Amino acid sequence: MGSSSFSAYDLFSNDGVDFNQKVRDVINKSSSKDKVVTNQQLEIFSGGFRVGGRESRSYISFGLYQEFDFFMFIPKDLALLALNGNRDYIGKSFNLGDLNMKAEVLSVFHVGFHKKVNDKFVYGGRAKIYSSGANATSTKNSGYIYTGEQPGTPNLYNQIISSNLELKTSGLARFTKDEYEGNVIRDIAHNTFFNGSLGFGVDAGITYYIKDNLQFTASVVDLGFVRQTKDIETLTYKGTYQYNGANPDFLGSDDPENVFDEFDRAIPRDTLHNKYTTWRPTKIYSSIQYSFGEKRLDECNCHGNVEKFYKNAAGLQVFGMSAPREPLVALTAFYRRNIFRKLDLKATYTLDTFSNKNIGLGLSGAIGPVNIYALVNNVLEYKDISKASSAAFQLGINFVFQDRED
């Protein structure tokens, strides 16, 4: 997860500053290009096996995982208007297009194929079936709110609200009804795994060894879509409202002309029930790795070949992810060191949207058939993680069973 303009410390530090003032400070230093991103994955199960006999280099994989995505641009103009009102912003146009967000929780069942063609080239791919338990999308908004003074009449205002707002939801409408008496978390989980809107996607990747110790990789992940069909609801606020006169009171307590009803007629709330399609945030990876410090094992394998490996590796990785308005990109330099035969340590330095000092550490090792790995980034911020602009952590355990002859 990460934010490009503020940290948790900015809002929740125990420094005696009023929380409302902290919110104002965060909004004031933000821009409409700043973003908040969250991604969470939980692997339910996964496995794989070799196909084609003992000499084959082809493998089938399968698995199921749950994923949650959240992406939002900071709606600075709307936040300023909500916090401060329009009194100090006469003549300013507040952009409703700043409201741009999407969120989704889904499960992913996948089946893949992986083949080592020769010692230089490896390719693979996965087909995915998505089951979306809940989705909210509001990315195509536009309009403005403007308040101006009429010339020569400082107490009379010209206010214009031009609205083209839309919120699409799937799997959420039932929870807003008065008659709903269930458990939201349990019902979303049930929808995610057993009754979600379905979609399809693919992953694909290659590895090419330019030399024995020079490796190039490229892959695309989550090139796919979900057709939102379950419990769908779209809310729209579209229209234009113009008011000339003293500042309107929308409570209607002292307004004989019933300004609120006029506003409601000018910009009505409509509820639609149309199916819609959402695209998964597609990720692209590419890397180049140079290995050095060749070491040969004392023993040979069962085919009579002497095995060798490299103690060190260094390289660069490029990352890109599709997002509303503009993609997210990152560049990572990494160094891997083999500490023992089955224990590797990895250090990374990343430049991305959220930080220019993101240092990460990773550790992977094997104990018999058990492979364990752990990765963490932004380690310099862990003395006070609340000040970190982004944080990521991965932990995994795999069981690998070799053929007896291998």
Side-chain angles (χ1 to χ4, degrees):
M1 64 179 296
S3 167
S4 58
S5 61
F6 67 94
S7 67
Y9 182 84
D10 294 330
L11 291 173
F12 302 108
S13 60
N14 186 18
D15 55 7
V17 179
D18 180 71
F19 180 77
N20 292 332
Q21 184 59 46
K22 291 179 181 179
V23 173
R24 286 187 171 88
D25 292 342
V26 165
I27 295 302
N28 287 332
K29 74 176 185 178
S30 300
S31 80
S32 59
K33 293 184 178 180
D34 291 323
K35 52 193 73 74
V36 178
V37 180
T38 300
N39 174 263
Q40 169 268 327
Q41 284 190 13
L42 175 65
E43 189 168 60
I44 309 302
F45 69 85
S46 65
F49 53 89
R50 180 159 53 190
V51 292
R54 298 187 185 278
E55 301 299 323
S56 173
R57 293 179 170 183
S58 299
Y59 298 85
I60 295 292
S61 65
F62 57 90
L64 175 70
Y65 64 89
Q66 170 268 325
E67 184 169 7
F68 170 76
D69 290 300
F70 176 82
F71 186 100
M72 180 184 72
F73 284 98
I74 300 296
K76 182 169 183 175
D77 274 9
L78 294 177
L80 286 175
L81 185 61
L83 288 171
N84 303 322
N86 62 355
R87 183 184 62 182
D88 298 327
Y89 298 97
I90 303 301
K92 174 180 171 58
S93 180
F94 292 91
N95 184 11
L96 298 182
D98 281 359
L99 183 60
N100 192 312
M101 60 79 63
K102 60 180 182 177
E104 186 163 36
V105 59
L106 73 167
S107 64
V108 184
F109 175 75
H110 56 88
V111 176
F113 177 76
H114 168 99
K115 182 177 179 63
K116 185 174 183 181
V117 178
N118 51 46
D119 290 338
K120 283 186 171 291
F121 185 68
V122 181
Y123 71 89
R126 294 196 300 185
K128 295 180 169 180
I129 296 177
Y130 304 116
S131 175
S132 174
N135 172 272
T137 301
S138 185
T139 58
K140 296 181 179 180
N141 300 307
S142 62
Y144 62 91
I145 298 176
Y146 172 81
T147 303
E149 283 187 335
Q150 297 185 15
T153 54
N155 294 321
L156 296 179
Y157 300 93
N158 174 31
Q159 185 171 81
I160 302 174
I161 303 176
S162 177
S163 175
N164 183 26
L165 299 179
E166 181 180 78
L167 171 64
K168 297 179 178 180
T169 66
S170 175
L172 295 173
R174 60 181 295 204
F175 305 131
T176 65
K177 303 298 188 289
D178 292 338
E179 60 269 20
Y180 175 72
E181 298 180 350
N183 182 287
V184 174
I185 295 177
R186 183 186 62 206
D187 288 343
I188 289 179
H190 178 268
N191 291 344
T192 299
F193 290 101
F194 303 106
N195 192 37
S197 298
L198 298 179
F200 178 78
V202 295
D203 301 345
I206 62 168
T207 299
Y208 179 70
Y209 289 88
I210 303 169
K211 297 181 179 179
D212 284 348
N213 63 335
L214 187 60
Q215 170 187 298
F216 169 79
T217 69
S219 62
V220 58
V221 177
D222 277 330
L223 181 59
F225 67 93
V226 176
R227 183 62 174 167
Q228 306 291 349
T229 60
K230 300 293 182 70
D231 193 20
I232 49 177
E233 185 174 84
T234 298
L235 302 178
T236 65
Y237 292 88
K238 297 183 179 182
T240 300
Y241 171 79
Q242 185 167 357
Y243 176 86
N244 295 302
N247 205 32
D249 175 12
F250 285 105
L251 295 178
S253 57
D254 57 355
D255 190 351
E257 297 181 3
N258 203 339
V259 174
F260 184 85
D261 285 346
E262 290 184 4
F263 174 83
D264 194 45
R265 287 193 298 269
I267 307 178
R269 166 179 163 167
D270 285 336
T271 302
L272 308 175
H273 300 279
N274 300 326
K275 300 176 183 179
Y276 63 98
T277 299
T278 55
W279 293 91
R280 296 294 298 142
T282 301
K283 280 81 72 176
I284 296 176
Y285 301 86
S286 184
S287 71
I288 188 79
Q289 175 180 292
Y290 174 72
S291 302
F292 56 97
E294 181 179 325
K295 185 176 179 62
R296 297 176 180 269
L297 296 178
D298 294 334
E299 71 275 8
C300 65
N301 62 22
C302 297
H303 300 286
N305 299 320
V306 176
E307 292 188 12
K308 63 180 181 181
F309 67 98
Y310 295 95
K311 297 281 291 183
N312 308 277
L316 291 173
Q317 176 180 281
V318 178
F319 166 79
M321 185 181 80
S322 62
R325 298 186 190 171
E326 59 187 24
L328 299 182
V329 296
L331 176 65
T332 298
F334 62 88
Y335 171 74
R336 177 185 56 78
R337 171 70 179 179
N338 178 247
I339 307 299
F340 302 112
R341 178 66 184 93
K342 295 185 177 182
L343 181 64
D344 289 338
L345 179 65
K346 187 176 184 179
T348 64
Y349 175 75
T350 300
L351 295 172
D352 60 19
T353 304
F354 309 107
S355 174
N356 59 4
K357 56 179 181 179
N358 187 343
I359 295 177
L361 291 175
L363 189 68
S364 63
I367 304 174
V370 181
N371 289 351
I372 302 174
Y373 67 90
L375 300 170
V376 62
N377 76 351
N378 248 337
V379 294
L380 296 181
E381 302 288 355
Y382 272 71
K383 56 186 177 182
D384 188 348
I385 189 62
S386 66
K387 294 183 179 180
S389 58
S390 66
F393 180 78
Q394 297 181 40
L395 177 66
I397 300 176
N398 298 317
F399 295 89
V400 179
F401 302 97
Q402 301 282 358
D403 291 338
R404 293 182 180 181
E405 287 81 359
D406 289 349

